[in-house]
Amino acid sequence: MFNDDYMKIKSYPKSELAMLYFPDSHPRVAVNHLNEWIKRCQPLAAALADCHQGRYAKFWSAQAVRLIVGYLGEP
């Protein structure tokens, strides 16, 4: 699933997690790209909705990060 030695599953600011996936992007652009990936992965979007992760929240919960990494892979 994921290598805990590389990425620690914890709460992340959305921009910080997005920058792990898109390191060469501006933080806002990285967040937009990550949101698009999530939107295109309907099972992930549904799972995030089930864990009450609001779209406009500033942080991803540890549970949400676990789902994102599980569906999209490690950054």
Side-chain angles (χ1 to χ4, degrees):
M1 178 121 148
F2 57 85
N3 181 355
D4 203 28
D5 294 332
Y6 174 71
M7 181 177 179
K8 181 137 177 89
I9 299 299
K10 62 177 185 143
S11 178
Y12 282 91
K14 284 189 173 184
S15 60
E16 183 180 338
L17 182 64
M19 290 300 294
L20 292 174
Y21 281 94
F22 302 98
D24 296 329
S25 297
H26 184 276
R28 184 71 240 157
V29 173
V31 169
N32 289 342
H33 286 317
L34 184 56
N35 284 338
E36 281 298 316
W37 278 16
I38 290 168
K39 189 164 78 170
R40 289 181 183 157
C41 182
Q42 288 299 317
L44 173 56
L48 289 172
D50 287 345
C51 74
H52 306 290
Q53 183 65 50
R55 179 176 180 194
Y56 299 105
K58 300 292 182 194
F59 287 81
W60 291 113
S61 68
Q63 179 184 13
V65 170
R66 186 172 285 109
L67 289 169
I68 291 167
V69 172
Y71 280 93
L72 300 180
E74 285 188 1

